[in-house]
Amino acid sequence: MLSAAGWRVTFGYPRPSRGDAVGVWGRKPVSARGRYLARKSGAPLITIEDGFLRSIHPGLTRYPPLSIIIDDVGVYYDASAPSRLENLLNAGQRDDDLSRARSCIDLLREHRLSKYTPPGGDWKVEPGYILVIDQTRGDASIPGAQATEGAFRQMLSAARAENPGKRIVVKSHPDVALGRKRGHFKAQDLSADDLFLADPVNPWDTINGAYAVYAVSSQLGYEAVLAGKPVRTFGAAFYAGWGLTEDEKTIARRTATHSVDSLFAACHLNYPIYVDPWRGSLCSFEDAIDALLQFQRAETPVGSGKGDVIAGARLWKRRNIARFLPEHGNPPRFAETESDAARIARKQNRSLWIWAASAGAVPEETTGFVEDGFLRSIGLGAELTQAASLVFDRSGIYFDPSRPSDLETLIRQGVDGAADSDRAARLISTIIAARLSKYNTGTPGIARDRKRPVILVPGQVEDDASIRLGTSDIRTNLDLLRTARTQNPDAWLIYKPHPDVEAGLRSGSIPTDKAARFADEIAHRSSPADLLDQCDEVWTMTSLMGFEALLRGLPVTCLGAPFYAGWGLTRDLGQIPPRRQARPTLEQLVWATLIAYPRYIDPVSGLPCTPELVVERFSQGHGPARATWLSKLQALFANQPWLWR
């Protein structure tokens, strides 16, 4: 993060003559060595701290901090001396910062984001209470705000005395809830009618229901100011003394009067730096919010929140699947069979998930199904290449038209406003420009004579679940090819075998002489994107290439019932479920299929991410890792396709 901000971090004795500075972390005792070294050498002191929009969880997790403060004057929570934030506030804010600040505050409140924003449970406390904010013992911001441990008892007494008859809610720090540190209050410090809140809940929920807020120096008091709540401070917090709070302590240096917008512009927009967690470059506050929302979604349980057990996932997939599930809480368990998984789920009160492609008997307590997403990898699943996207479907699974799925529900509901539709349109353009498909394999195609209409017929794995569940009369690649030729006698037919089949890893191969009876060309190991560029139409059973053809504006004829059929965007010759009555636009279909339905993991950083980042990584040649030690064994068993399903 320092490098992104232009600093070069190194060891050695500082030399002010060459521009060296000494960096320290905050005002903890360990930073005293650095402060001494700066005084002795005459080098400037740079204080580094977390920003006000940091991460999902406190402390060391897989999620990196999204912002830091690099202060060359002091540090914001030490009121004994000026800081760069204090100087910014005394100087006032530009008009363009103020107009941006209001929309950014709305973003924070809309998405309920704070310094730490773990997915919290439902907040069901009756509004109108007095919120008293606790902090951890030894927090440097307490003496920095010229307060003592006794300020917390004074604060609680004042809250009771000034609000007779109102319920007191004491909010503990997240580190206390995690058992890492101690706070100043315990449940026994409160009366029977009051509430000691140690459970992880969203901070904005506690603020929004409060009648008034009491704080020493906690950032939660600042966020209460942003929410327009009356805030009483018992320490010289960074947000105190600017005309927005009732303060026990005053700082004579703080001479300006601020609005909520101007306070926010200084604290959130101009004081910290924000760093893109995937690319390692500087980014905007708004970009940091987008990243935090991705992390928050990844930490939202797919099941009950009490842990998950997954049945039927191959050994080489399991570590990757775990990355798509919340980091905090019970780690997932895996079982070979549905019955074993059901037993674990009952015993440990876990949610039960089944790998959809290999599902057998479905236990009654099944929560849902897991399967690869549609922007999957660079390389084949049958070659043990990990997936960059997964779906967790509580209703069914997208390739089984016999019952509804979460994807169907998303398609039927449509997008939530023009922003979602615009985002889907941009994603379509990016995928086409990057020439991407599900597996992103194959060699460039060749130019074709365009005097005849060119129809692409993609082959499939014939024992694939989408064929077993999503087709009726036409169920083999040879029948598909024969039907396409019968219906299009004058067309130039290109048959593209499925890459897993060509690799000898799955069933569905057509002998060349039989395929040549119907196809004018067999496109062995060709790039799907190149073939789609050179064809006029696609005929398929349930292949994802039909969906990819829709993205490119090509007519698609379906002989089965894939997830994208039956919505008015394809010509349907298969048996379409009558429930598919909605008529979404292509953008609505793409929003549901690629944005709202799957979860994504960045192949480079390993962090949860957006589909846009996955497209960017794939276009740069960065795909998920391959289980190479198993791949070496695979060549010995290439004629046993059941091993690689």
Side-chain angles (χ1 to χ4, degrees):
M1 298 180 84
L2 288 166
S3 298
W7 291 92
R8 182 174 63 89
V9 182
T10 187
F11 296 98
Y13 193 82
R15 298 180 185 177
S17 60
R18 66 183 182 189
D20 289 354
V22 176
V24 297
W25 186 270
R27 289 293 182 267
K28 293 181 179 180
V30 70
S31 72
R33 294 175 295 172
R35 298 199 301 272
Y36 167 77
L37 185 60
R39 290 193 301 270
K40 182 178 179 182
S41 66
L45 180 71
I46 305 296
T47 302
I48 302 140
E49 256 292 355
D50 285 327
F52 302 124
L53 185 76
R54 185 193 185 276
S55 58
I56 291 289
H57 299 286
L60 185 63
T61 71
R62 67 169 168 171
Y63 300 104
L66 299 172
S67 68
I68 57 169
I69 286 156
I70 305 173
D71 197 320
D72 55 353
V73 179
V75 67
Y76 70 91
Y77 56 73
D78 183 2
S80 67
S83 68
R84 192 164 67 84
L85 176 58
E86 194 175 274
N87 291 347
L88 284 170
L89 286 164
N90 275 327
Q93 301 300 308
R94 302 188 307 267
D95 289 342
D96 56 343
D97 286 337
L98 296 179
S99 60
R100 181 182 168 209
R102 174 45 49 192
S103 63
C104 289
I105 292 173
D106 290 343
L107 278 176
L108 275 186
R109 297 191 67 179
E110 174 190 355
H111 298 296
R112 301 157 64 239
L113 301 178
S114 182
K115 182 175 183 178
Y116 308 114
T117 317
D122 293 336
W123 179 246
K124 297 179 180 178
V125 179
E126 187 71 24
Y129 49 82
I130 304 302
L131 181 62
V132 176
I133 304 169
D134 195 8
Q135 294 173 246
T136 59
R137 290 183 180 271
D139 186 345
S141 76
I142 298 171
Q146 301 180 358
T148 64
E149 304 291 326
F152 289 87
R153 298 292 169 184
Q154 180 189 358
M155 173 175 63
L156 182 58
S157 297
R160 284 175 172 153
E162 295 167 6
N163 301 277
K166 288 193 175 294
R167 187 182 195 187
I168 302 292
V169 173
V170 172
K171 170 72 173 68
S172 68
H173 190 276
D175 271 336
V176 176
L178 292 172
R180 294 172 177 167
K181 296 182 179 179
R182 294 169 56 225
H184 297 86
F185 299 117
K186 297 179 181 178
Q188 50 264 41
D189 296 326
L190 305 180
S191 67
D193 294 333
D194 296 332
L195 174 65
F196 180 76
L197 181 60
D199 296 332
V201 297
N202 188 283
W204 285 96
D205 289 342
T206 63
I207 291 171
N208 290 335
Y211 176 79
V213 177
Y214 287 68
V216 174
S217 62
S218 168
Q219 182 181 319
L220 203 56
Y222 162 64
E223 288 160 350
V225 171
L226 300 185
K229 299 292 181 178
V231 177
R232 183 111 141 75
T233 65
F234 289 77
F238 67 90
Y239 50 89
W242 307 107
L244 294 168
T245 54
E246 182 184 348
D247 306 313
E248 283 293 304
K249 295 184 178 294
T250 58
I251 302 296
R253 297 186 310 271
R254 299 178 182 178
T255 57
T257 300
H258 277 275
S259 67
V260 170
D261 292 352
S262 60
L263 178 69
F264 176 87
C267 295
H268 263 92
L269 301 184
N270 296 327
Y271 188 43
I273 65 161
Y274 297 93
V275 176
D276 184 311
W278 303 291
R279 302 173 184 88
S281 57
L282 293 181
C283 68
S284 68
F285 170 81
E286 293 87 343
D287 290 336
I289 280 189
D290 288 342
L292 195 54
L293 291 176
Q294 289 302 313
F295 297 165
Q296 193 177 54
R297 184 190 182 201
E299 283 297 291
T300 302
V302 293
S304 65
K306 299 178 180 178
D308 303 284
V309 56
I310 295 129
R314 296 286 181 182
L315 286 171
W316 64 273
K317 295 179 180 180
R318 294 181 181 182
R319 181 175 177 272
N320 190 54
I321 292 172
R323 298 196 302 166
F324 288 84
L325 296 168
E327 179 185 34
H328 280 61
N330 295 324
R333 293 281 306 274
F334 294 88
E336 292 294 330
T337 66
E338 288 86 352
S339 59
D340 287 344
R343 177 178 48 78
I344 296 171
R346 286 192 297 268
K347 184 177 180 180
Q348 301 182 7
N349 198 23
R350 291 173 176 261
S351 299
L352 171 57
W353 299 89
I354 298 175
W355 189 263
S358 59
V362 178
E364 182 179 351
E365 55 268 63
T366 299
T367 304
F369 297 88
V370 189
E371 188 52 79
D372 289 337
F374 308 106
L375 289 169
R376 187 192 184 281
S377 57
I378 300 177
L380 307 177
E383 291 178 337
L384 312 187
T385 306
Q386 304 287 10
S389 63
L390 290 181
V391 300
F392 293 82
D393 196 313
R394 298 175 69 98
S395 305
I397 194 62
Y398 64 87
F399 54 70
D400 183 1
S402 68
R403 56 180 167 176
S405 68
D406 289 352
L407 178 56
E408 276 194 11
T409 300
L410 289 166
I411 294 171
R412 187 174 62 252
Q413 289 174 344
V415 299
D416 185 17
D420 288 339
S421 184
D422 291 344
R423 181 184 175 191
R426 292 192 300 272
L427 182 58
I428 292 170
S429 299
T430 305
I431 289 172
I432 294 172
R435 308 181 65 73
L436 296 183
S437 61
K438 181 175 182 179
Y439 296 112
N440 303 291
T441 59
T443 57
I446 59 174
R448 290 174 176 82
D449 183 359
R450 301 307 297 266
K451 294 179 182 178
R452 297 163 61 185
V454 179
I455 294 179
L456 176 62
V457 182
Q460 294 183 241
V461 176
E462 290 181 354
D463 61 353
D464 190 74
S466 72
I467 298 295
R468 290 187 285 106
L469 301 171
T471 61
S472 52
D473 298 332
I474 307 299
R475 305 177 68 90
T476 68
N477 291 323
L478 187 59
D479 284 344
L480 167 66
L481 194 53
R482 181 186 294 111
T483 303
R485 170 54 72 201
T486 301
Q487 297 289 325
N488 302 277
D490 299 325
W492 181 274
L493 254 60
I494 305 171
Y495 175 66
K496 175 179 169 31
H498 191 281
D500 280 348
V501 175
E502 284 192 299
L505 301 171
R506 301 291 296 274
S507 63
S509 176
I510 303 177
T512 301
D513 58 333
K514 290 187 177 181
R517 290 170 53 193
F518 305 105
D520 297 289
E521 179 182 344
I522 302 176
H524 290 293
R525 295 177 173 81
S526 294
S527 160
D530 280 352
L531 292 174
L532 289 169
D533 283 347
Q534 297 170 29
C535 74
D536 301 299
E537 187 178 349
V538 171
W539 277 59
T540 181
M541 291 182 285
T542 62
S543 172
L544 187 63
M545 283 192 71
F547 175 68
E548 294 165 355
L550 288 179
L551 302 188
R552 292 158 173 83
L554 295 172
V556 177
T557 297
C558 298
L559 280 73
F563 68 88
Y564 53 86
W567 307 106
L569 298 171
T570 55
R571 178 186 177 212
D572 301 318
L573 303 181
Q575 296 179 9
I576 301 299
R579 63 181 178 273
R580 296 186 185 177
Q581 296 295 317
R583 290 296 176 260
T585 64
L586 176 62
E587 289 76 18
Q588 290 171 332
L589 178 70
V590 168
W591 176 85
T593 304
L594 297 182
I595 297 174
Y597 187 46
R599 292 185 173 208
Y600 293 91
I601 293 289
D602 175 18
V604 175
S605 67
L607 295 170
C609 70
T610 63
E612 289 86 351
L613 185 74
V614 169
V615 169
E616 177 185 320
R617 297 300 199 199
F618 285 1
S619 66
Q620 296 168 344
H622 301 303
R626 182 177 174 185
T628 53
W629 64 275
L630 282 174
S631 301
K632 294 177 181 178
L633 294 176
Q634 183 176 344
L636 299 175
F637 300 98
N639 63 341
Q640 303 292 329
W642 62 272
L643 289 171
W644 316 111
R645 291 175 193 163

